[in-house]
Amino acid sequence: MTTVKLHDKTFDTYLSSETIQQKVAELAGILNKEYADRRPLFIAILNGSFMFASDLFKHLTIDAEISFIKLASYRGTKSTGRIITAIGLEDDLFDRDVVILEDIVDTGRTLHEFLPKLHHQQPKSLKIVTLLHKAEATQFPIPIDHVGFSIPDKFVVGYGLDYDGLGRNLKEIYQLAEKDIE
Ligand code: 5GP
């Protein structure tokens, strides 16, 4: 098993580059069929999804557009709770076939809070594709249409995902080593 050290923690290989690439190609194949003749707009959620989105997009053979957005959350008033804003969402989603690309869905909270903002723009359809899904960690159920890998509730890095800024460049996905789980 290969390990990497990022800051103070050790991570063990979990998904090889080949395994990831195969899955990404498989997901793209499904989307090519589902969106044939529909010109979908992909919205990739930064930072983590940049690598997944880039690899997936290369496998698309249909006409498709892509935008990258960043989600920022801040505390609103007591009654509004946490507020999510999308930075860089300039496209008009009205009547569009929209596909959200996520690197990982953990508790589901981020998308749960963000989805109403998208629905507000009345897209023709809205699907969610995530490379990784920690099903056991779900606290906010959201409708995910395609999952690359369903993974255990352990912290992962690599292939766009970071630990405190590091690890995004790794081609593989790594899991936090048992000894470093607090
Ligand atoms: P949520 O709990 O809202 O579904 O997940 C929000 C965000 O937490 C994800 O988009 C991702 O940025 C981060 N996250 C959740 N689990 C992990 C993980 O195992 N590794 C890394 N690097 N980020 C994670």
Side-chain angles (χ1 to χ4, degrees):
M1 189 192 294
T2 320
T3 65
V4 289
K5 185 135 197 210
L6 301 171
H7 299 293
D8 56 329
K9 304 233 184 286
T10 306
F11 295 85
D12 302 323
T13 30
Y14 177 57
L15 298 169
S16 71
S17 172
E18 293 72 29
T19 306
I20 298 167
Q21 291 303 330
Q22 206 177 341
K23 185 62 80 177
V24 172
E26 198 184 300
L27 287 171
I30 294 169
L31 295 167
N32 280 329
K33 287 207 187 93
E34 280 185 2
Y35 289 93
D37 306 317
R38 283 166 70 186
R39 196 160 62 87
L41 170 64
F42 287 79
I43 297 181
I45 307 202
L46 293 173
N47 290 331
S49 72
F50 76 95
M51 215 176 263
F52 172 46
S54 160
D55 283 345
L56 182 99
F57 215 63
K58 283 180 257 180
H59 287 287
L60 295 181
T61 51
I62 50 171
D63 281 347
E65 297 173 38
I66 190 163
S67 272
F68 291 84
I69 65 163
K70 209 164 173 164
L71 297 181
S73 73
Y74 58 94
R75 292 187 72 80
T77 61
K78 232 183 199 163
S79 62
T80 54
R82 208 170 77 124
I83 296 174
I84 286 243
T85 51
I87 301 162
L89 185 58
E90 282 150 15
D91 306 88
D92 183 3
L93 307 186
F94 179 73
D95 211 26
R96 297 294 310 265
D97 290 306
V98 174
V99 184
I100 302 294
L101 292 181
E102 260 287 24
D103 47 345
I104 186 163
V105 175
D106 182 10
T107 64
R109 180 176 182 172
T110 311
L111 284 183
H112 171 81
E113 290 172 352
F114 179 53
L115 286 178
K117 286 200 190 267
L118 294 179
H119 281 298
H120 189 69
Q121 286 204 39
Q122 296 178 276
K124 189 197 282 176
S125 69
L126 182 62
K127 285 199 178 183
I128 299 172
V129 179
T130 186
L131 181 67
L132 306 171
H133 183 213
K134 290 184 184 169
E136 295 163 21
T138 305
Q139 288 177 28
F140 301 85
I142 46 161
I144 304 176
D145 298 279
H146 300 297
V147 173
F149 302 96
S150 209
I151 64 167
D153 188 9
K154 284 187 185 168
F155 191 76
V156 288
V157 294
Y159 197 67
L161 290 147
D162 75 312
Y163 166 48
D164 205 6
L166 296 182
R168 295 193 195 277
N169 51 321
L170 299 165
K171 293 187 186 68
E172 309 79 20
I173 290 175
Y174 294 75
Q175 234 176 19
L176 182 61
E178 283 298 326
K179 70 173 179 64
D180 284 341
I181 296 175
E182 283 153 9

